[in-house]
Amino acid sequence: MLDDSIDFLRGIRQRPVWSPIPEQVKAALSQPVPWEPQGLEAVWSDFKELVQPYSTGNTHPRFFGWVHGSGTPAGMLAEMLAASLNANLGGRDHAPIYVERAVIEWCRELFGFPGGSSGLVVSGTSMANLIALAVARNAARMEAGEGTRQLVAYASTEVHDSVWKVLRVLGLEDHGFRPVPTDREFRMDVLALERAMREDLAAGHRPFLVVGTAGTVNTGAVDDLGAISRVCRTHGVWFHVDGAFGALAALSPSLRDRVEGIREADSLAFDFHKWMHVPYDAGFVLIRDGEAHRRCFSTAPSYLERTSRGLSGGAPWFTEFGPELSRGFRALKVWVTMRHFGLRRIAEKIEENCAQAHHLAGMVSAHPSLQLAAPVTLNIVCFSFKCPGLTATQLEWLNREIVFFLHEQGLAAPSTVRLRGEFHIRVNLTNHRCTEADLEKLVEDVVRIGEALAPAAQGN
Ligand SMILES: Cc1ncc(COP(=O)(O)O)c(C=O)c1O
């Protein structure tokens, strides 16, 4: 299995990026409950035939969709080591806990958070956002006299969908959330933020949270984190940064200043499984006030008694910092990835992706049939194929078809996005296997397919 998996990764470039799943494969995967043992050989054979060829494709050099990391063989081995221990990191006193504590300590240092801050390795930024926003709300509720005022959270209209979901879970989506408009570069309009806060204060509400984004999912825009943090400080409001992928720009000396304001945040959410290429899933939440973090989640049932000796030692337990009791050893693949590659090399790959984004944007801007849709801040390029005489609906049909064709032929896997009402092709570069030649091929393919399909667009 190990040899085959390494061979699979080695040969990834020769494979289609993605392949549509044949109906007979879907049918073959719908099997009856396996009451009797079938043996590892049979399962492995099914995996190779039915699963491996039809995966997402984000290990491929021309996977450009959404924000997917590419994984690494070292991460794959780390997953195997973690499974060999089958450790539960909810708590207790065992070495895996100290590995996660080491990861937390490194993250504190990387983002300039102080000694009393706390952190937790989680499934992803969605969960990290949930934990951070729950802590922020809990802290606001504990303030004296806050029982009756409506709590209000603020984030830009470009904020990630996971923040909307969290606000829904926290019961704040309907009356406790004010989306703030963005400027021309898709960054939060900080003057509009201040105006909204003043209006809410005048109406007797309690602004308690602002979510800034370091790398929006649509265009990679980075909010003015420094300015937002100053507004938050003036009004005594919790400042959370969603830095799902963008936060790791802080690893690079040449990109760091774009996300400098993270140091001022009360909490930060980001992913290891995106720009650090740790295999899915692995994200992180960092909270400046570690005590507020613990107060939000800590309970003390007798069967989970923390003792001063024995295996029940090791307090505080990680279960006191999040909603989960049982937790896997995700921290190991993060620890292995950071140590194996070193953060300098990971930062170089991040810089390379940003340079590639500018290279792609340059090719798009220079091509008469292509149009750039948004400024390139980090690693995301949004553009579309243009054809004179087509209506907006026809152009949308054409660009959708180009993306379908790229996916279905296994040529490349960009995703799509709607910006200010217009539909575009979206290329995200969190891919350490991608080269400039891959992007040159993408441009050639988009133009070739666009020109071939343009006549058909007239009828749509
Ligand atoms: C800005 C931003 N926030 C949050 C998320 C959600 O992260 P995850 O998929 O790890 O839960 C993403 C995912 O792409 C993102 O780009």
Side-chain angles (χ1 to χ4, degrees), residues 231-378:
V231 173
C232 288
R233 231 176 290 133
T234 306
H235 293 280
V237 167
W238 187 287
F239 175 36
H240 173 69
V241 175
D242 176 346
F245 59 97
L248 288 183
L251 301 184
S252 151
S254 60
L255 299 170
R256 188 169 297 150
D257 59 340
R258 296 180 207 184
V259 296
E260 191 62 32
I262 287 176
R263 291 176 170 271
E264 307 301 322
D266 292 299
S267 53
L268 168 68
F270 70 94
D271 278 320
F272 298 114
H273 59 214
K274 291 187 164 71
W275 239 347
M276 206 180 273
H277 306 293
V278 170
Y280 281 90
D281 47 21
F284 195 74
V285 61
L286 193 54
I287 309 248
R288 182 172 299 274
D289 181 346
E291 267 315 300
H293 188 181
R294 193 169 171 194
R295 260 199 313 276
C296 185
F297 292 103
S298 190
T299 55
S302 67
Y303 96 102
L304 295 178
E305 188 189 9
R306 270 76 89 178
T307 53
S308 57
R309 291 170 47 207
L311 179 54
S312 311
W317 289 10
F318 285 133
T319 186
E320 297 176 68
F321 295 91
E324 293 169 323
L325 171 56
S326 294
R327 309 170 58 249
F329 196 5
R330 286 192 186 102
L332 184 66
K333 56 193 174 182
V334 180
W335 192 73
V336 167
T337 301
M338 285 189 177
R339 293 189 53 194
H340 172 60
F341 294 105
L343 291 179
R344 219 177 301 285
R345 178 135 177 250
I346 293 168
E348 280 164 14
K349 280 292 175 185
I350 290 173
E351 287 164 6
E352 187 176 286
N353 280 158
C354 292
Q356 287 168 342
H358 283 284
H359 180 61
L360 174 59
M363 286 190 286
V364 165
S365 301
H367 200 288
S369 302
L370 301 176
Q371 194 174 62
L372 200 60
V376 174
T377 309
L378 291 170

Side-chain angles (χ1 to χ4, degrees), residues 66-67 123-127 129 160 162 213-217 242-245 271 273-274:
W66 306 278
V67 192
S123 55
T125 295
S126 302
M127 180 55 84
N129 282 336
H160 190 263
S162 59
T213 306
T216 60
V217 69
D242 176 346
F245 59 97
D271 278 320
H273 59 214
K274 291 187 164 71

